[in-house]
Amino acid sequence: MDLFLDILVAVLLILGCLMSLIAGIGLLTFPDMLTRMHAATKPQVLGFLLIFAGLAIHLRSWTVIPVLVLAWAMQLLTAPVSAHMIGRAGYRTKHAAKETLFSDELRQVVEKVSSAPHTGTVPEIDPQETGPDAK
């Protein structure tokens, strides 16, 4: 049984490291900001899950599992939020390749906010204007 668990730990750790390596390679090789942002978040979160699962099996202690689950949950919560904020900032600072977007839902929101007079309030935005069928 110990041999099986050791092999399982090794497989989980190697797969987790490979996912993290894929994320790093994607950051270096993908052409634009949005695809790099995708590469930085998706495989990294799954890689952490595999590494933490392997670590939990290797340590074989119930006291470590809540800490690992908390660490993975924080990664799961913060990676998409930070990627979203980087994407919005990159879009607004013209670092996103807008011609490659399939659907540009943020364009009308940014135009409406930037064209509004600076009164300190945010203008009302009609949800019908920002959907995928908006012109």
Side-chain angles (χ1 to χ4, degrees):
M1 185 67 172
D2 284 342
L3 179 65
F4 173 74
L5 289 178
D6 288 342
I7 292 172
L8 180 63
V9 166
V11 168
L12 288 173
L13 289 176
I14 289 171
L15 287 175
C17 290
L18 283 175
M19 293 299 288
S20 295
L21 178 67
I22 290 169
I25 291 171
L27 280 173
L28 294 175
T29 59
F30 282 159
D32 64 335
M33 182 204 61
L34 296 176
T35 55
R36 287 180 187 159
M37 181 180 61
H38 177 78
T41 55
K42 302 292 182 189
Q44 188 67 27
V45 172
L46 180 60
F48 273 148
L49 174 64
L50 294 173
I51 290 172
F52 288 163
L55 189 60
I57 294 170
H58 177 70
L59 294 176
R60 295 186 184 123
S61 172
W62 287 103
T63 58
V64 175
I65 291 176
V67 175
L68 294 175
V69 168
L70 179 65
W72 184 69
M74 293 306 292
Q75 177 69 24
L76 187 65
L77 290 173
T78 58
V81 171
S82 63
H84 176 77
M85 298 307 292
I86 290 169
R88 285 183 70 96
Y91 184 92
R92 289 174 184 239
T93 58
K94 313 278 191 280
H95 285 89
K98 295 177 185 167
E99 63 276 357
T100 62
L101 296 177
F102 177 73
S103 175
D104 191 0
E105 297 175 1
L106 191 57
R107 178 182 51 85
Q108 291 178 342
V109 174
V110 170
E111 286 175 358
K112 189 169 270 192
V113 169
S114 63
S115 67
H118 297 286
T119 61
T121 61
V122 178
E124 289 292 323
I125 298 171
D126 185 12
Q128 299 296 329
E129 293 179 7
T130 60
D133 297 330
K135 303 264 188 261

